[in-house]
Structure formats: C-alpha cells, structure tokens
C-alpha cells in the first residue's frame, strides 16, 4: 500500500534533497559512513560468533535469514518499482539517478543490517546493540544527507527490515521445537507399548532426543534419531582416513544406516546375554525420523561411582562382561568412563554400543582391552587397573595390550579424559612392563596417516586443483616480457622487506642489537623457512639470536611474541581497511563493498572455528602459549620506552607495506594496473592462508591464493596474475635463500645463532 501511495504521490522532494545535500560535505559523510559500516559488520561477526559459542543456533539462523531476506526483498522491490515506473519514478522515492537495484530507491544493505539487528536482538549485549544501532543510524543519515535517497525511501527501507525480521521469527521460530510426543505415543502403541506418560529427557551425546515412557508394567527408554543429526560425523570421517580400518570408527552416513547398525549391535549383544539394555522395537515417525525403544535399566556410569564402590569384585565383573562380548566377536570400540556402568542389581554393563562392530578382529579386541585398562586407571590408578586386567583377561592378554596403549587408538571421549593426566598412559605401560618384562614394547601400527599428513595431502590437492584451474587459457607469452623499471622497483622493495623485520626486532628486543647483524639473521631465517612451515623457522632463528645476544630465554620468547602480536594487531585492521577502500569509489550509496563483506565474513568464521572447535582452539593456544606467557612485562617495558615501541611497530608496518608494494610492482611489470587497495587485500589474505598452510613457507597455498585473489578481487588478467605472483615469490621467497644460506653459516661461525 505504501509503495502504491509513493508511486502516485506528487514529486515534492527534489528541493528537500537539494537542501539536504548542502548540510554536510560528502568529504565528511563518506569516512563517517565507512567507519560506521566497518563497525556494524564487525559487530555482526562478533555477535554471530557469540551466538555460536552459546549454542544459540536458532537465533543465529533467524538473524542471518532476516538479513538475507531483507537484502533479496529490497532488490525485488526495487526491480518491481523500476519496471512499473520506469523513468517516471516519483521524486518522493528517487532523489538520485545513480545506483543499481541494490541501492535505489530502497537501500538493500540498510534493510539487511536492520533485519539482522532486529532478529538477533542482542539485549544481553546492551553496548553492542547500542553501537550497532548507532552505526546503522550514521549510515542512514549519510545516505539521507547526501541526497542519495529520500525520507520516504529510507522509511520504507526500515519497514522492509522490520518486516523481514518478523517474518523469519515466525518461520524459523524463537525457541526449540516441541518434540512430536503425539506421533511418538502412537508409534509406541503400535508395538503394544502404549505409554501412560511420556517425558523428554533432553539430548544424548550424539544429538538425539531422549524420552522416558511409563507403561502399565514397566518403564521404557526411547531415543528419537533424525536424519539431519550429524554430531561427530566429521570427526569419524577424519578418523576413518587417519586410522587403520579395525581402529577407525564407522562413519554411518544416513539415518537408515545408523539405525540398522545400532540395532544389529544391540540384538547381537542381547543374543550373547550381555548386560546391555535390551532393544525392544525399532520404529519410524516419518521418513526422516526413527525411534529406538529399549527396556529401562537403572544404572550409574563409572564416572559417577564413589571410590568405595570401585571394588575388586566390580572390576572383575566389568572384565567378565567384556570377555562375554569378545567371545561373541562383538567389539565395543567406545569404552570410556561414561559407557562403563554398574546396574542396580550389582551387575556391570556397557552402554552406547552404536559405534561397535560385529565379527570383530583381533586388533579391535586389543583396542577394547587397552581402552578398558585406561578407563579403570583413570579411577583406581594404573596398578589396580593392570592387576584387574591380569585377573580378568590373563597375563598374556594384558601383556599383548602394551603396543596398543597409545592415544591414537583410544576413543575420543577417553582421549579427552586423559588430558587431565597426560602421563597416565606411560605409567600404565610401565606397570604392564613390570608384570610382564617380555611384553612387546614397540607400539602397534594403528595410524594409517598422521593428522598432519592428512591435512598436508588435502591442502596440496586443493592447491593443485586451484592452480590447474587458474592456469587454463593463460597466454604464456606475457611471462617472457616483464617491464625492467617495475621489475627493478620490485627487487628494491624485496630488499626493504629484509630490513623492515630487522627494525621491528630491534625495537622489540630487550637488549641492544646491531642492525647489520639483525638483517643477516632475517636472511638466515629465509633460508630456514624453505624446510619449515610458514613462520616457524623465523620464530626459532629470532629467538635463538636474542638469547645469544644476551637476553634470557623467557625474554627472547616474549620479545618474539610481542613482534608476532604487533603483526596480528596491524594485519587485521589493514585487511579490513583495504577491503573497504578496494571498492570505495561508489557515488554515494554508502553500502560496504562485496570484498569487505567477504573479508569480515571469513574473519568471523575463523574466529568462530577457533573458539567453538576444541581441537583447533587447543592447537592455537598451545602454539601461542610460550609467546604469551612472558609478554606482559615486555609490553610494560615497551610502553616506558616510546622510541622502541615506534621502531617496532614502524618496522612491522613497513614490512607489510613493502610486501604489498612489491606484489603491486611485480604485477605491474607484466602490464596490469590493479588498484593498490585491492592488491593489499589479496596479499593480506594470501599471507594469512600461507601462515595456516602446513607446507614450508606456505608453498603452493600462497601462490594459489594470490593468483586467485588478483584475478577475482583486483581484476588482473590470469596471465599477468600468474607471472606477477611468480616474480613476487621469486624475489621474496626463493632469491633470499642463497644469501640466507651464507648468512646462516656466518652467524653460526660467529656463534650469533
């Protein structure tokens, strides 16, 4: 209705638009809107990460859906208005003829961020919500005061954002979906197990819904499995690649496969008369939802038992149950303190057989035995655990388990439990060696490939495919004719890139360093990095150099850590600023560029991955901990010496600027003239990818990222991008190797490293 009124309204807003343009100059509006956009996008990324950490997935999906719907609906409305009105668009809606369907007359970016802010409703983060609202208001005011849009168009944009937020709240919902208890009750009644009551118990570790059903004569445990529940599937898939088949857990893709595997295991355990809960029925609520009905058995897991209950009789009973399963060729494959339990009738039992296997081989049986010894050792200590294994399985079996007492073959949950006592496996192995001195001590070959090898192979494969795609149709004649002036400039800048890190290290060092020798150290680091992952070689060489120069070990590590922190602090803002400037030549719609959106989105995903994925978070913390531990005293010392701080930060900035200019000159040597800000985005992103890649110096990953970024972001032709990147890497990675080897030998003879 508002759109119809707007189209038929009298064109009375032209004079208002002219007056609005005269209020503030564009030179003030553009940077204000730019800073507001960057702040809003960073806060959107921060709130998305916070929602992921809080596991508020529904709220995050609702907010992102509102943003996407607001953007798409605005474009659709603009297209419809343009088609209906054509050149006769009323001035009450259209104050400028500049802009596409994403910003004229309604503003898609503003509708999207309004929809996100309204749907996310970060009321528990009041300051974040306030800053986000202020940023949106600044952008809206800039669009209005520049005369790019009209008050009515801005009001309609606000309305679109609010409507999209309300629509997604209705479609996605505002809370957890209620379980389908009516259908579940009908399915139980079909089995003759009509429930008197049905209560939800929440989710299990695999993400399935659990219920308890009370019937006339007994209690039932009910598990509802959904096709879209994939908890742990990526971990199992990775372990399937990294471990040998008998040690790797089943991946179990697909609902039917999971249900059939679980039912087979539990029916086999029932036939063996094991103490596991008996599976009574397997049902289906709909094509994407299955039901497992088990008898209810009162039991407490090992983790909840008191120390006085962990008697020799109980441990012997646990071993009897494991022998019973193994005698019928059933391997559990998921033994940990949560799956070993004590029933109310005093019998030991194992739960969670869904990842086990039938017709189990000797390797799977030995891994089960090793897992049970380790599980018991967590509670009763290595000596009692090994003694119980000798009583329950025999000395020969316990001794044969020694090669399998390694973390690679243990279940995931058990490995997590071992993190609190990393020396436990060593003490268990020592106890077995004491009891059986002739036991085979060499670890069994459980791993097919180490995780690092898997990652390296995956990265190499992706890089190879990307490079092959990028080289298709390249005019190879371009490579043979570089411009001498640009090539010489790139070479000079590559020399500057050796002086800049020396200046930074000199500034951050707690002891005085001669500049000439420090430059030689950077060349030596360039020689070391051809055989080490990106950044590792230079860290080691610089730390060694500082200790030889008179700094203590903690001081050297802290100084190198401060230099790395300074690089990170300058890297991320430069990346965001360059992404904003890369496409900042728009006439006045004040919407952030696609490059900026992609950069902030990727940064948010990376931060979320580090914070949400425990193995990744631990890897980052373990790598950073030695450098962060003594950083605070070093920072306080730097703050008291501004000259050193300026020298260190200036050297860090000079290194980044020098590398960006070197890449620009290398590309320009082959006839391309990209935007400097776009080249900065490509380099900063490519450098981050290279730092994360496990190959030496990021070899392969950096080239693929730079070539792809130059063609996609900077618009450089493929031939020029390829030749420019090859020249850049030749100057900054390969040519310094020979002088680096010489510098390495000279510094070693002088005992400087």
């Amino acid at each position: 209705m508002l759109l119809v009124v707007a189209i038929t309204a009298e064109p009375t807003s032209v004079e208002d638009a002219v007056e609005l343009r005269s209020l503030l100059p564009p030179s003030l509006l553009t940077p204000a809107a730019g800073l507001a956009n960057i702040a809003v996008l960073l806060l959107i990324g921060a709130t998305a990460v916070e929602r992921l950490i809080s596991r508020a997935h529904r709220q995050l999906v609702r907010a992102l859906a509102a943003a996407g719907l607001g953007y798409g609906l605005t474009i659709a409305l603009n297209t419809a208005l343009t088609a209906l009105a054509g050149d006769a668009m009323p001035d009450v809606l259209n104050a400028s003829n500049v802009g596409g369907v994403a910003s004229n007359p309604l503003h898609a970016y503003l509708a999207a961020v309004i929809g996100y802010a309204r749907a996310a409703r970060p009321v528990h983060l009041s300051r974040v919500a306030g800053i986000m609202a202020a940023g949106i208001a600044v952008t809206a005011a800039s669009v209005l005061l520049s005369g790019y849009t009209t008050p009515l168009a801005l009001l309609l944009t606000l309305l679109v954002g609010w409507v999209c937020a309300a629509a997604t709240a209705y479609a996605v919902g505002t809370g957890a979906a209620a379980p389908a208890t009516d259908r579940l009750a009908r399915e139980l009644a079909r089995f003759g197990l009509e429930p008197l009551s049905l209560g939800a118990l929440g989710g299990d570790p695999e993400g399935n819904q659990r219920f308890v059903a009370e019937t006339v004569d007994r209690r039932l445990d009910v598990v509802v499995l959904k096709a879209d529940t994939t908890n742990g599937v990526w971990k199992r898939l990775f372990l399937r690649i990294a471990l040998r088949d008998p040690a790797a857990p089943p991946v179990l893709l697909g609902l039917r496969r999971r249900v059939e595997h679980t039912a087979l295991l539990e029916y086999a355990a029932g036939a063996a008369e094991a103490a596991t809960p008996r599976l009574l029925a397997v049902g289906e609520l709909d094509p994407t939802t299955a039901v497992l009905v088990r008898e209810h058995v009162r039991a407490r897991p090992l983790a909840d038992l008191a120390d006085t209950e962990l008697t020799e009789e109980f441990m012997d009973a646990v071993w009897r149950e494991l022998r019973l399963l193994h005698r019928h060729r059933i391997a559990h494959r998921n033994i940990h303190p949560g799956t070993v339990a004590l029933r109310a009738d005093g019998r030991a039992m194992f739960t969670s057989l869904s990842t086990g296997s039938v017709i189990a081989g000797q390797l799977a049986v030995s891994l089960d035995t090793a897992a049970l010894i380790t599980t018991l050792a967590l509670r009763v200590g290595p000596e009692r655990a090994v003694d119980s294994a000798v009583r329950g399985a025999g000395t020969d079996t316990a001794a044969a388990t020694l090669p399998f007492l390694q973390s690679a073959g243990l279940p995931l949950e058990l490995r997590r439990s071992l993190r609190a006592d990393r020396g436990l496996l060593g003490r268990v192995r020592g106890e077995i060696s004491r009891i059986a001195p002739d036991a085979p001590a060499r670890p069994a070959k459980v791993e097919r490939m180490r995780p690092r090898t898997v990652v390296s192979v995956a990265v190499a494969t992706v890089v190879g495919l990307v490079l092959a795609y990028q080289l298709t149709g390249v005019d190879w004649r371009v490579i043979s004719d570089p411009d001498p002036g640009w090539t010489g400039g790139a070479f000079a800048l590559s020399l500057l890139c050796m002086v800049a890190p020396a200046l930074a290290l000199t500034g951050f060092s707690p002891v005085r360093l001669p500049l000439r020798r420090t430059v030689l150290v950077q060349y030596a680091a360039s020689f070391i990095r051809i055989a080490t992952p990106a950044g590792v070689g230079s860290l080691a060489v610089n730390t060694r150099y500082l200790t030889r120069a008179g700094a203590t070990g903690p001081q050297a590590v802290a100084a190198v850590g401060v230099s790395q922190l300074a690089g990170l602090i300058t890297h991320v803002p430069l990346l965001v600023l360059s992404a904003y400037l890369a496409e900042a030549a728009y006439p006045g719609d004040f919407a952030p560029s696609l490059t900026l959106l992609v950069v902030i989105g990727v940064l948010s995903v990376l931060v979320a991955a580090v914070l949400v994925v425990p193995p990744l978070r631990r890897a980052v913390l373990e790598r950073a901990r030695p450098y962060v531990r003594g950083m605070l005293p070093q920072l306080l010392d730097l703050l008291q010496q501004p000259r050193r701080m300026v020298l260190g930060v200036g050297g860090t900035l000079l290194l980044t600027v020098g590398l960006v200019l070197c890449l620009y000159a290398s590309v320009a040597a082959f006839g391309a003239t990209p935007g400097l800000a776009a080249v900065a985005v490509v380099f900063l992103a490519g450098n981050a990818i290279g730092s994360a890649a496990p190959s030496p110096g990021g070899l392969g990953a950096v080239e693929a990222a730079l070539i792809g970024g130059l063609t996609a972001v900077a618009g450089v032709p493929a031939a020029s991008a390829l030749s420019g990147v090859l020249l850049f890497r030749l100057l900054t990675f390969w040519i310094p190797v020979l002088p680096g080897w010489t510098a390495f030998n000279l510094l070693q003879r002088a005992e400087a490293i």
Side-chain angles (χ1 to χ4, degrees), residues 174-413:
T174 57
T181 54
D182 293 340
R183 286 184 298 166
L184 183 56
R186 289 196 299 270
E187 185 69 7
L188 292 176
R190 192 173 69 84
F191 298 127
L193 302 171
E194 187 167 355
L196 300 177
S197 64
L198 194 61
L201 297 179
D204 64 8
E206 296 181 357
N208 306 311
Q209 287 182 315
R210 297 185 304 126
F211 298 87
V212 59
E214 298 285 354
T215 65
V216 175
D217 55 349
R218 55 181 164 176
R219 175 180 290 186
L220 305 174
D221 290 332
V222 183
V223 178
V224 177
L225 298 88
K226 289 185 172 293
D228 57 356
T229 301
T230 57
N231 286 27
V233 66
W234 294 109
K235 292 179 182 177
R236 293 197 294 269
L237 181 60
F238 181 83
L239 292 175
R240 170 60 61 181
I241 298 173
L243 300 179
R244 294 182 177 273
D245 290 339
V251 179
L252 302 178
L253 295 174
L255 176 63
R256 187 169 299 277
R257 181 84 172 88
R258 290 161 53 203
V259 173
E260 289 177 348
H261 186 82
T262 302
L264 174 63
L265 263 296
E266 299 200 14
Y267 283 140
E273 298 183 353
T276 56
R278 190 159 60 96
L279 183 63
L280 302 177
V282 179
E284 182 181 76
L285 299 185
D286 56 57
T288 63
T289 309
V291 178
L292 296 177
V293 184
R294 300 183 180 93
E295 65 177 354
H296 176 74
V297 177
R298 293 179 57 195
R300 290 178 296 149
L302 176 65
D304 295 341
L305 295 179
D307 292 341
T308 55
E309 296 177 281
L310 302 178
T311 62
E312 310 303 324
E313 292 76 11
F314 166 71
M315 290 188 286
D316 292 344
V318 173
W319 282 106
R320 282 196 299 271
E321 285 299 317
L322 186 64
R323 286 205 318 271
L324 179 62
L325 292 175
H326 288 172
R327 190 162 57 246
H328 289 81
R329 294 292 184 185
I330 302 172
H332 192 285
R333 304 175 66 151
N334 192 27
I335 297 176
H336 58 83
T339 58
V340 180
L342 176 64
R343 298 199 328 186
D345 59 3
R347 185 175 179 181
M349 64 178 288
F350 290 96
T351 60
S352 301
L353 281 171
S354 59
T355 57
S357 60
V358 295
I359 320 178
Q362 184 57 45
L363 178 58
V365 169
S366 298
L367 290 173
D368 266 3
T369 306
L372 182 55
I373 294 176
T374 307
T375 298
L376 293 175
L378 284 168
R379 289 300 315 271
V380 301
E383 183 176 352
R384 291 184 63 194
V386 172
D387 288 343
S388 70
V390 171
R391 292 194 311 271
T395 304
D396 293 341
T397 300
T401 306
L402 185 60
F404 302 95
L405 285 166
Q406 50 181 299
S407 60
L410 298 179
L412 288 172
E413 289 297 329

Side-chain angles (χ1 to χ4, degrees), residues 580-630:
Y580 173 72
L581 296 176
E583 299 178 23
Y586 48 80
D589 65 346
F590 299 102
S593 65
L594 178 62
T595 303
L596 179 60
L597 294 176
V598 171
V599 166
I600 292 181
V602 171
L603 289 175
S604 301
V605 170
L606 291 176
V607 172
V610 171
L611 295 178
V612 174
V613 180
L616 190 57
R617 182 172 65 248
R618 286 191 298 272
V620 172
L621 290 176
E622 288 176 3
R623 184 171 180 177
R625 187 176 291 112
Y627 301 99
V628 177
R629 185 177 295 122

